[in-house]
Amino acid sequence: MVLNKLQESVSFIRTITSAKPKIGVVLGSGLGSFVKDVEVETTIPYKDIPHFSPPTVEGHSGNLIFGKVGGQAIVILQGRNHFYEGHSMESVVHPTRTLALLGVENLILTNSAGGFGENMSAGEFMIIEDHINLMGTNPLMGPNIKELGPRFPDMTEAYDKRMINIMEQVLQKQGTRYHKGVYCGVSGPTYETPSEVRYLKLIGGKAVGMSTVPETIAANHLGLRVAALSCITNLAAGISNQKLSHDEVTETAKRVEMQFTSFLKEFIGHI
Ligand code: 6GU
């Protein structure tokens, strides 16, 4: 069933383009404007693709985009489905799996996250070195689809070391402030309580968000190399006195749009 749906998505996309980029990019909340810097060749709205669902949240768009950046062929998921929207884990990772079946080998995941690491401020970035899955489920639950990958995938290096090094070099060169750390993936849609944030800190996290973990798990199952970058759009609850809002998340993402875009362009050129 899962495999049939994937094949139907791939077949539909193949009626529109024969492009086989090796690099896939998932753009998180408010980070969709990177597309302005892409030489776009083909845009396919999610609503046209069988088994892709259009996003329900404001500020999230839904397009599959093929194009080039700095001469490199890429495919972009502009907007993702979140577990908190009520999508099944299977449908959350469906677009990621589709990219792999289209030929993607390197997956760049981006997101907005709440930060609680030492010396973190809103507007900074965090390279995800590892994650803790706190979503209460796993996209690989259920019968294993052996055509996609093994029953018990290794997650020792879920985030590719070489890609982490390249990300660091690019951020340093561009003079962009960044952190490195563990991303805690939660289901949402509520932001955390201050006590929950203290717990996340105790277990070794530095940032928290409602995405990325399912895609990273599905991508590792498929044998893709994963790189992931969080935009710290706000400090997590209890770290500052400020209350949290989705408006702050989108405002900060907008403020760092230029830095984020130049980072992605150069990073893609070095993969
Ligand atoms: Cl503070 N928490 C979660 N779960 N997701 C976020 C966030 C916080 N800030 C941006 N996204």
Side-chain angles (χ1 to χ4, degrees), residues 112-115 184 186 188 190-192 208-210 233-237 244 249:
S112 296
C184 299
V186 298
T190 49
Y191 294 118
E192 299 64 40
V208 56
M210 307 173 194
T233 49
N234 53 279
L235 295 178
L244 276 61
V249 171

Side-chain angles (χ1 to χ4, degrees), residues 4-271:
N4 284 340
K5 286 186 188 170
L6 287 166
Q7 277 153 359
E8 282 167 22
S9 297
V10 170
S11 300
F12 173 79
I13 294 161
R14 284 292 173 237
T15 65
I16 297 175
T17 175
S18 60
K20 280 200 174 64
K22 289 202 166 23
I23 302 172
V25 182
V26 181
L27 296 174
S29 321
L31 304 171
S33 68
F34 166 68
V35 171
K36 283 189 229 147
D37 283 45
V38 176
E39 273 175 65
V40 174
E41 285 160 0
T42 311
T43 301
I44 314 175
Y46 290 167
K47 64 174 171 41
D48 294 349
I49 310 174
H51 314 298
F52 272 54
S53 19
T56 60
V57 183
E58 232 180 288
H60 296 194
S61 30
N63 294 296
L64 178 69
I65 298 166
F66 290 84
K68 286 210 170 71
V69 166
Q72 287 255 56
I74 62 168
V75 54
I76 301 171
L77 292 168
Q78 187 188 32
R80 52 154 72 88
N81 294 320
H82 295 85
F83 191 49
Y84 63 73
E85 290 173 275
H87 297 288
S88 65
M89 271 290 169
E90 181 201 322
S91 72
V92 169
V93 301
H94 180 85
T96 301
R97 287 173 162 165
T98 303
L99 294 192
L101 297 188
L102 289 168
V104 163
E105 294 172 4
N106 304 286
L107 185 66
I108 306 170
L109 300 171
T110 67
N111 63 47
S112 296
F116 52 88
E118 296 303 319
N119 304 315
M120 264 186 187
S121 312
E124 295 176 344
F125 295 92
M126 187 185 89
I127 295 173
I128 301 182
E129 288 186 302
D130 200 358
H131 75 223
I132 301 175
N133 177 13
L134 297 164
M135 296 184 115
T137 182
N138 186 302
L140 305 184
M141 293 255 280
N144 183 49
I145 303 151
K146 59 179 184 313
E147 291 83 354
L148 300 182
R151 172 74 288 190
F152 301 110
D154 175 48
M155 292 289 281
T156 310
E157 211 182 287
Y159 299 87
D160 186 77
K161 283 253 162 49
R162 180 178 158 267
M163 299 244 264
I164 290 174
N165 287 334
I166 304 172
M167 286 199 278
E168 267 201 279
Q169 282 166 25
V170 172
L171 287 163
Q172 275 169 18
K173 181 175 161 225
Q174 297 190 342
T176 298
R177 262 188 69 85
Y178 70 95
H179 303 261
K180 279 200 290 183
V182 175
Y183 173 91
C184 299
V186 298
S187 71
T190 49
Y191 294 118
E192 299 64 40
T193 63
S195 301
E196 287 166 344
V197 173
R198 276 196 302 277
Y199 162 76
L200 298 177
K201 210 170 172 172
L202 269 174
I203 64 174
K206 282 194 190 172
V208 56
M210 307 173 194
S211 68
T212 305
V213 163
E215 290 101 320
T216 297
I217 292 171
N220 273 270
H221 184 227
L222 288 150
L224 307 186
R225 283 181 289 273
V226 176
L229 187 73
S230 290
C231 172
I232 304 300
T233 49
N234 53 279
L235 295 178
I239 302 293
S240 77
N241 301 323
Q242 226 184 309
K243 284 216 177 189
L244 276 61
S245 74
H246 184 59
D247 286 348
E248 189 193 359
V249 171
T250 45
E251 273 163 34
T252 307
K254 185 126 203 71
R255 177 157 68 79
V256 300
E257 189 177 305
M258 294 281 288
Q259 279 177 82
F260 176 76
T261 296
S262 10
F263 163 77
L264 263 190
K265 271 201 285 192
E266 190 161 354
F267 176 50
I268 289 166
H270 284 88
I271 289 174

